[in-house]
Amino acid sequence: MAGRRAGRDAISRDQWAALISARNTDAETGARRSAGREKTPITVERIIDAALEAVESAGFEDLTMRMVATRLGTGPASLYAHVRNRAELGDLLIGRLCSQVTLPAPDPACWREQFMDVCAQLRDRFLRYPGIAQAALAVVPADLATLRVGEGMLAILLAGGAPARQAAWTSDAAYLYIAGYCLEASAARRQSEDADGRVIDPAEIEERLRMLPADRFPHTVAHARELTSGTGHDRFTFTLNLLLQGLDPTRP
């Protein structure tokens, strides 16, 4: 995840450092607004809660600051005092989900299982909130909880004997795959039927592949079942295992 490229809403190095410092201070002090007021104050945590509720019901793609503000019974201007823009809100949302991931103490004897478990935890949290994985790809993460997961994934691969660069690139590739996998799953849920009302499930896709002209697509037609096979998260596990098999301790 450290390999993310800067997007349109990227902040400068100084702004990023200030943001990290502020969030680290909040994490250490556990500062909370005083209670006892008639109106519950707007806080970053309440903003995150409201945004996640909105994403769970309507998807991340349609999330706006105004939508979150409405759920909190206030105006968008009240949110900007705590969250700079939608991109920063997305970073905070991914951070909240990453904070729920349990990281093991790296064990060379079972590093593969540990890495796969962390990936599965991320997958399951992203899948709960349709389209939220889009936020995981937007900018370099500044939330400490997200960076903590990256640190944990890297530590597991290093404990398994992977050279530093391979470990770094593999953890980043796995994070990219998790996000892409979850985005595809979210899109599939939104578009489960075609224009004729048919459910586009693997069986339907297989039938459509078999309808292709065999003289032009001989392998696709012959192996339509294999191309559409796999239940549950079979392909997810398969792809990550392939990625891990490519690690070579003899190469830098």
Side-chain angles (χ1 to χ4, degrees), residues 23-42:
R23 292 184 182 174
N24 189 49
T25 299
D26 288 344
E28 290 179 349
T29 62
R32 293 292 184 271
R33 296 284 185 91
S34 59
R37 301 178 183 177
E38 292 184 3
K39 186 176 180 180
T40 305
I42 300 298

Side-chain angles (χ1 to χ4, degrees), residues 1 20 23 27 91-92 94-101 103 122 141-152:
M1 62 188 70
I20 288 292
R23 292 184 182 174
D91 185 43
L92 289 167
I94 295 300
R96 168 68 71 81
L97 300 186
C98 284
S99 72
Q100 300 166 359
V101 172
L103 295 175
L122 278 174
D143 194 277
L144 296 181
T146 304
L147 294 168
R148 162 186 162 271
V149 170
E151 168 76 11

Side-chain angles (χ1 to χ4, degrees), residues 42-59 63-74 79 89 93 96 129 132:
I42 300 298
T43 64
V44 171
E45 291 302 310
R46 289 191 65 214
I47 292 172
I48 295 173
D49 289 340
L52 285 176
E53 290 173 2
V55 173
E56 190 170 17
S57 62
L63 180 70
T64 64
M65 298 292 276
R66 182 174 298 279
M67 181 186 298
V68 177
T70 298
R71 284 180 172 267
L72 292 172
T74 186
L79 272 58
L89 176 59
L93 297 183
R96 168 68 71 81
Y129 301 95
I132 202 168

Side-chain angles (χ1 to χ4, degrees), residues 218-241:
H219 300 299
T220 300
V221 173
H223 303 293
R225 176 161 298 178
E226 287 75 15
L227 287 169
T228 57
S229 63
T231 59
H233 297 304
D234 291 345
R235 289 178 177 237
F236 181 86
T237 302
F238 173 81
T239 302
L240 288 180
N241 275 326

Side-chain angles (χ1 to χ4, degrees), residues 4 13 18 24 33 60 62 101 143 170 200 207 210 237:
R4 300 284 71 70
R13 179 184 293 186
N24 189 49
R33 296 284 185 91
F60 181 78
D62 296 327
V101 172
D143 194 277
T170 299
I200 310 178
E207 288 303 312
R210 293 188 188 282
T237 302

